[in-house]
Amino acid sequence: MSHEITPSRVAEERTPKLWTGDYYNEGISHEGVFDKLKEECGVFGVFGHPDAASLSYYGLHALQHRGEESAGICTTDGGDFNYHRGMGLVKEVFDKDRLGSLIGSNSIGHVRYSTSGESKLANAQPLVFKYRDGDLAIATNGNIVNANQIRKELEAKGSIFQTSSDTEVLAHLIARSSKDFVAATKEALQQLVGGFAFLIMTNNKLIAASDPNGLRPLTMGRLGDAYLFASETCAFEVVGAELVRDIQPGEMLIFDENGVVEDRYSEMQRRSLCAMEYIYFSRPDTDLNGANLHAARKRMGKKMAQESFVDADIVTGVPDSSISAAIGYAEETGIPYELGLIKNKYTGRTFIQPSQELREQGVKMKLSAVRKVVEGKRVVMIDDSIVRGTTSRRIVNLLREAGATQVHVRITSPPFKNPCFYGIDTPNRQELIASCKTIEEIRQEINADSLAFLTKDGLIEAIDSYSTQELNGGLCLACFDNDYPTEVQFHGTEKFGCGCE
Ligand code: SF4
């Protein structure tokens, strides 16, 4: 019998309700304080290592930036599942005792932001089910575009869903099939449309699968005889594992006691790895599709300098994601790179209800301008993207208040005009400033002396992955060019552009 190590009622009651104003998360977008995009989720899996839970803990910790709302690990030694999930950071959800009780050599783990489904413990992953052939656990990164449609069809046939997570439809599709687990999983994956990376575990098998376009990253590593899986390679580094390869679009790898079967459930469609992984989401020490993120971001900064040079006294990057690009801009132009902005490293949660005034001041809790560095200087401020424009305006104003005489903003991606359907939590189109305003209007809105965006071609050239010969360099650029690599389901005004057109 499976048993869940449930948090005590007291602890559960103390768990804050996310995004309801019960607490103020200064690390990520909320209530317009930080209008950065919310990263999606991170997955980490182990097959064949006696310390699977501990490896997962460290792996998930390295992937923490991909999801701070909940964390979970499910393990098995070939028999019962042991699992624990909770709201909060990995280090908050797991302690030594909990990890010690997660016995088994196979595991899948997850860190989450809610990109689909509500933010609550029931939706924390891995999702765990009992079905005809035993236990089933699923951890996913991404979004199933046709999940609602499948869900309605399944409910009409009698399925009862336990969560509002789109991932649960996969479990139902597998469970309803009369075929064996692998064939049922293959058939189920073939019905899904979207951008997703799955780790699926039974009592004796583990499957790693990527969507047919490879929208969301999933990599495989090796540690001795064990196989590891992670959304980003930085998670392998922390446990001393070596990268083997990326899971290819449409591929499903099946691991059991007989070894590994490399199979496909779909032909590869147009390869479309999310460009925002390179621009913003992934850690700089991660390699994606053959390109190191720090190096790629430096090239974006260099390319930016070639496309939109502006003379200045110093270059500074908005920490942390834009520091690499700022170094690249500085190297290309010879303008010195300086730490003009400092990030408050504490990105946890404070249990205060911020007043409107505090919300307005919120950016100062996260970032400080270094007066002695920027005072009297013409500053080039490098950032990775502009979503609503509110954060950019606040950071520009921080620099001005600290004495910068000019602030020139350079964005290392094209204007972000379109919503994402593949697991990135983006506002509606009408809230995206670039969908409604010209570059000059945005410049005025964010109070910059000048503003320029990296071109689409410049971005593709800068990323320089081994998919360069493919369409768009093997990248999804839909939030910039509206060219979605799959069918998508638009709602309301999204399809026809912003409400202010
Ligand atoms: S639409 Fe944008 S954020 Fe979404 S997968 Fe494509 S590139 Fe990434």
Side-chain angles (χ1 to χ4, degrees):
M1 203 179 103
S2 297
H3 57 281
E4 181 174 13
I5 307 160
T6 52
S8 72
R9 188 186 173 94
V10 172
E12 219 168 356
E13 281 172 1
R14 281 184 187 158
T15 302
K17 297 188 192 84
L18 306 184
W19 317 120
T20 60
D22 286 358
Y23 74 75
Y24 170 52
N25 188 325
E26 57 177 302
I28 47 184
S29 62
H30 180 44
E31 301 282 337
V33 174
F34 294 102
D35 68 344
K36 304 299 283 185
L37 300 168
K38 276 204 284 182
E39 296 152 44
E40 62 281 42
C41 297
V43 296
F44 190 87
V46 179
F47 188 85
H49 195 288
D51 290 327
S54 298
L55 291 175
S56 298
Y57 177 86
Y58 288 113
L60 292 176
H61 195 266
L63 299 175
Q64 188 73 82
H65 59 286
R66 301 183 71 89
E68 295 179 356
E69 283 188 13
S70 69
I73 297 173
C74 178
T75 64
T76 179
D77 56 3
D80 292 349
F81 276 4
N82 305 296
Y83 60 100
H84 176 65
R85 298 166 301 191
M87 304 303 289
L89 303 174
V90 175
K91 67 181 181 187
E92 296 166 343
V93 171
F94 294 98
D95 58 20
K96 198 173 163 218
D97 290 343
R98 287 207 190 282
L99 271 183
S101 52
L102 296 176
I103 296 159
S105 54
N106 302 338
S107 73
I108 61 174
H110 192 262
V111 287
R112 178 173 195 263
Y113 279 130
S114 56
T115 53
S116 174
E118 298 164 64
S119 176
K120 59 182 184 182
L121 187 57
N123 286 336
Q125 296 191 23
L127 295 180
V128 178
F129 307 91
K130 274 265 180 226
Y131 84 120
R132 185 191 59 233
D133 294 336
D135 298 310
L136 179 67
I138 303 178
T140 183
N141 169 28
N143 191 45
I144 301 169
V145 170
N146 61 342
N148 284 343
Q149 183 190 330
I150 296 174
R151 188 183 179 112
K152 278 183 194 152
E153 290 166 10
L154 289 171
E155 283 174 337
K157 290 175 189 163
S159 289
I160 298 171
F161 281 77
Q162 305 295 318
T163 73
S164 57
S165 164
D166 64 334
T167 305
E168 196 180 342
V169 300
L170 178 63
H172 282 264
L173 289 171
I174 294 170
R176 291 183 72 92
S177 172
S178 56
K179 298 185 174 167
D180 66 59
F181 167 66
V182 172
T185 303
K186 200 171 189 175
E187 207 172 71
L189 289 169
Q190 286 164 351
Q191 296 179 57
L192 307 184
V193 176
F196 44 78
F198 281 116
L199 294 178
I200 308 164
M201 189 171 76
T202 65
N203 304 93
N204 54 17
K205 284 187 169 54
L206 194 155
I207 289 179
S210 175
D211 70 77
N213 300 92
L215 278 146
R216 303 261 67 93
L218 184 61
T219 55
M220 176 169 66
R222 223 41 229 264
L223 182 63
D225 292 335
Y227 289 93
L228 273 54
F229 312 90
S231 298
E232 290 184 39
T233 61
C234 65
F236 295 151
E237 289 292 331
V238 78
V239 296
E242 61 184 37
L243 173 66
V244 176
R245 68 176 178 84
D246 299 322
I247 312 299
Q248 294 301 305
E251 199 175 26
M252 60 186 276
L253 305 182
I254 305 133
F255 296 81
D256 63 17
E257 67 274 16
N258 299 315
V260 55
V261 175
E262 299 183 0
D263 199 359
R264 309 197 136 266
Y265 68 93
S266 165
E267 288 304 308
M268 182 171 91
Q269 308 297 314
R270 178 182 126 194
R271 189 196 297 271
S272 309
L273 179 56
C274 171
M276 286 304 293
E277 292 282 353
Y278 292 94
I279 296 162
Y280 170 55
F281 295 136
S282 293
R283 266 176 41 164
D285 52 340
T286 280
D287 294 343
L288 279 179
N289 241 6
N292 167 257
L293 269 288
H294 167 69
R297 286 174 189 160
K298 267 182 78 175
R299 290 193 295 272
M300 291 176 207
K302 284 176 188 275
K303 197 72 199 166
M304 187 87 242
Q306 292 160 11
E307 290 184 353
S308 305
F309 172 77
V310 59
D311 198 13
D313 302 309
I314 62 167
V315 180
T316 195
V318 178
D320 292 318
S321 55
S322 300
I323 289 175
S324 303
I327 292 170
Y329 190 99
E331 280 184 9
E332 185 68 11
T333 58
I335 301 171
Y337 169 78
E338 291 286 357
L339 276 178
L341 292 162
I342 299 287
K343 184 178 176 183
N344 177 353
K345 289 294 178 192
Y346 174 71
T347 57
R349 299 183 293 264
T350 52
F351 289 81
I352 56 169
Q353 173 73 46
S355 62
Q356 187 55 35
E357 187 185 357
L358 260 180
R359 281 191 216 287
E360 285 300 315
Q361 295 295 312
V363 75
K364 290 182 179 171
M365 291 177 69
K366 179 80 177 274
L367 285 177
S368 302
V370 185
R371 181 172 293 277
K372 294 285 185 206
V373 171
V374 304
E375 198 165 31
K377 302 276 177 28
R378 298 169 299 161
V379 178
V380 178
M381 182 191 108
I382 307 287
D383 203 356
D384 47 69
S385 55
I386 297 181
V387 183
R388 295 182 180 87
T390 49
T391 296
S392 304
R393 187 180 69 246
R394 287 170 176 149
I395 300 174
V396 169
N397 288 341
L398 269 184
L399 291 166
R400 291 196 188 282
E401 286 165 18
T405 56
Q406 295 176 13
V407 182
H408 302 276
V409 176
R410 295 293 179 269
I411 303 295
T412 56
S413 63
F416 197 107
K417 295 182 175 182
N418 311 293
C420 177
F421 294 85
Y422 306 122
I424 308 301
D425 191 13
T426 47
N428 290 334
R429 194 190 299 266
Q430 55 266 42
E431 293 177 59
L432 298 169
I433 192 169
S435 79
C436 303
K437 295 186 187 295
T438 65
I439 292 176
E440 171 55 19
E441 287 169 339
I442 300 171
R443 181 196 71 71
Q444 290 174 22
E445 184 96 8
I446 66 171
N447 194 24
D449 289 282
S450 74
L451 169 67
F453 293 82
L454 189 60
T455 62
K456 178 174 149 180
D457 288 345
L459 175 65
I460 294 168
E461 192 183 320
I463 289 176
D464 193 27
S465 76
Y466 58 59
S467 306
T468 304
Q469 301 310 312
E470 299 178 42
L471 180 67
N472 285 345
L475 299 168
C476 173
L477 298 163
C479 46
F480 310 122
D481 66 6
N482 207 26
D483 181 10
Y484 294 92
T486 72
E487 284 174 39
V488 290
Q489 294 174 347
F490 290 95
H491 305 286
T493 56
E494 289 170 345
K495 184 173 184 180
F496 305 106
C498 71
C500 56
E501 279 180 336

